[in-house]
Amino acid sequence: MPIARPAAAVTLEGFELRVLQLPLVSPFATSFGTETVREVIIARALTADGEGWGEIVTGAAPLYSSEYTQGAWDVALRWLIPALLDRQRLAPEDVAETLGPFVGHRMAKAGLELAVLDAALRAEGRPLGEYLGAVRDRVPSGVSVGIQRDAAALVEVVGGYLDEGYVRIKIKIKPGRDIAETAAVRDAFGGIPLQVDANSAYTLADADTLAGLDRFDLLLIEQPLQEDDLVDHATLARRLKTPVCLDESIVSEKSARDALALRAASVINIKAGRVGGYLEAVRIHDICREADVPVWCGGMLETGIGRAANAALAALPAFTLPGDVSASKRFYARDIVTEPAVLESGHVRVPTGPGLGVEIDLVALEDFTVAREIVRR
Ligand code: OSB
Ligand code: MG
């Protein structure tokens, strides 16, 4: 269902942007690099109706996609925020259209849209989950496990997460760190719900290696090929028993439609940042639901702000696979919200308070801030 009841417009007065650097509890390694600190942009919408918070999920470097912190910072301050402030009163549903003329920069747009949406919903006293169409009050929690020193170390780390109660494990793979790692986790833990994420590290020439994963009965393989390799993903999907899931390739409702039409994916990972916002994310959810294609909620190492919004999104009906919606402490010893997401019997609760349903820990926010800018109309 599209958004059942739109939010009321807010009177925009300005935005505050901050670059934060949050230390990770352990290094996070993927096929595209290793992070020890999460650099992220937090947006605060200042309105006559109250404030709202959003998260721009770019990384420090353009490795996952073309977006990165300084690029998002620049485009937000130079182009996106001025365009929004030009509109005096603005409904959250009009943010994407207002920013439409600016090509790309979807994570920057998504973070600003979320800030406006949070302000509007807080003003109305409406929870984000209810607004988006959530049908659950808690969501099953999967965990994304980075590439480790060796297969033994991976088994150790995965065991720890299983002990904590995570209901699905995703391991990062790359060429040369795939078959043995997956086999080790399968051998150690039997038939646990298991999937792998390649973050675009392979080409069609690796099809034989990837077919070698078929014997592990994985839930899916996520984004084996490049972002723009829709046709190659379709070719690969015909070769594999393992369902192909797209992450990086799905940047909009349109690209989701194309991927389904081409049969390039039989599962879709939905990340609001990657697709330009939570409203576009709901549209992708809706077409997948219509097509009977399962979706799950991806993550970008969100702080408590984006993590709360992801829990709300993951509570929509077609999110039938556990998402990368893990507890805050999987990544952070200290978060920037007063009640960070916790794991309860393998689930994370969907916040029920107005807007995001979380309060910002302003002391923590300030402690992690490395740059700050305020723009007023
Ligand atoms: O590919 O899903 C991904 C983190 C950063 C960038 C890309 C990805 C990831 C993850 C972590 O896998 C997901 C999470 O936030 O738990
Ligand atoms: Mg991924």
Side-chain angles (χ1 to χ4, degrees):
M1 311 143 278
I3 301 298
R5 188 158 62 87
V10 291
T11 304
L12 273 179
E13 293 178 339
F15 281 91
E16 178 194 70
L17 290 187
R18 292 166 182 261
V19 177
L20 268 55
Q21 290 179 346
L22 284 85
L24 295 173
V25 293
S26 57
F28 187 66
T30 66
S31 63
F32 61 80
T34 302
E35 281 186 291
T36 55
V37 172
R38 177 63 171 127
E39 185 176 280
V40 66
I41 299 174
I42 298 300
R44 181 188 208 164
L46 310 169
T47 85
D49 315 84
E51 63 183 21
W53 297 86
E55 177 164 348
I56 297 176
V57 298
T58 45
L63 297 172
Y64 164 77
S65 74
S66 64
E67 292 189 79
Y68 64 103
T69 310
Q70 287 307 312
W73 183 262
D74 186 79
V75 79
L77 289 169
R78 193 184 301 274
W79 299 105
L80 307 182
I81 289 175
L84 293 174
L85 294 182
D86 260 359
R87 310 266 315 247
Q88 273 174 335
R89 276 185 73 73
L90 182 67
E93 296 82 11
D94 298 332
V95 170
E97 201 188 304
T98 304
L99 302 180
F102 305 108
V103 176
H105 297 285
R106 293 180 171 92
M107 293 177 185
K109 293 173 178 177
L112 297 177
E113 184 192 76
L114 182 59
V116 174
L117 183 53
D118 182 42
L121 293 176
R122 280 184 203 259
E124 289 184 69
R126 286 172 74 188
L128 178 63
E130 180 200 299
Y131 170 86
L132 295 176
V135 295
R136 287 180 273 267
D137 54 16
R138 55 177 212 159
V139 297
S141 182
V143 62
S144 174
V145 184
I147 297 169
Q148 307 292 319
R149 185 170 13 89
D150 53 31
L154 176 64
V155 166
E156 170 101 20
V157 172
V158 168
Y161 290 129
L162 290 171
D163 289 345
E164 286 182 51
Y166 285 102
V167 301
R168 181 275 273 153
I169 299 292
K170 152 171 148 183
I171 62 171
K172 295 289 192 178
I173 58 168
K174 65 178 182 181
R177 302 298 308 279
D178 37 31
I179 303 290
E181 280 71 10
T182 310
V185 173
R186 259 290 170 253
D187 285 351
F189 306 111
I192 57 164
L194 180 65
Q195 63 194 53
V196 296
D197 186 359
N199 288 112
S200 305
Y202 298 87
T203 71
L204 260 192
D206 300 308
D208 287 342
T209 303
L210 296 173
L213 293 168
D214 278 344
R215 65 188 155 99
F216 300 119
D217 196 23
L218 301 174
L219 290 169
L220 55 91
I221 177 171
E222 185 179 344
Q223 196 71 37
L225 313 177
Q226 295 288 302
E227 177 177 321
D228 55 3
D229 280 346
L230 276 190
V231 171
D232 282 357
H233 273 109
T235 304
L236 181 65
R238 286 194 298 273
R239 287 274 312 271
L240 303 183
K241 263 193 3 226
T242 308
V244 171
C245 169
L246 291 176
D247 173 353
E248 284 89 329
S249 294
I250 306 300
V251 298
S252 61
E253 179 194 356
K254 176 64 164 62
S255 62
R257 282 187 192 282
D258 290 352
L260 297 187
L262 284 167
R263 301 189 181 281
S266 52
V267 183
I268 286 181
N269 162 329
I270 300 184
K271 288 180 185 170
R274 198 192 61 225
V275 304
Y278 284 85
L279 298 181
E280 186 79 352
V282 171
R283 286 188 281 271
I284 295 174
H285 162 273
D286 292 348
I287 63 164
C288 289
R289 190 178 189 209
E290 186 72 27
D292 237 330
V293 167
V295 304
W296 56 281
C297 183
M300 291 294 291
L301 278 56
E302 280 85 353
T303 72
I305 291 175
R307 201 163 289 277
N310 286 349
L313 179 67
L316 269 64
F319 285 83
T320 53
L321 290 166
D324 286 341
V325 188
S326 40
S328 168
K329 74 169 203 188
R330 183 262 172 267
F331 291 113
Y332 305 111
R334 185 179 178 209
D335 205 328
I336 57 167
V337 296
T338 57
E339 287 177 81
V342 293
L343 203 61
E344 297 170 356
S345 312
H347 290 67
V348 165
R349 230 184 278 188
V350 179
T352 53
L356 291 166
V358 289
E359 298 311 317
I360 310 308
D361 178 342
L362 294 169
V363 176
L365 182 76
E366 191 61 33
D367 285 349
F368 292 126
T369 298
V370 297
R372 177 168 175 259
E373 193 93 48
I374 294 191
V375 188
R376 290 184 192 276
R377 57 190 308 268

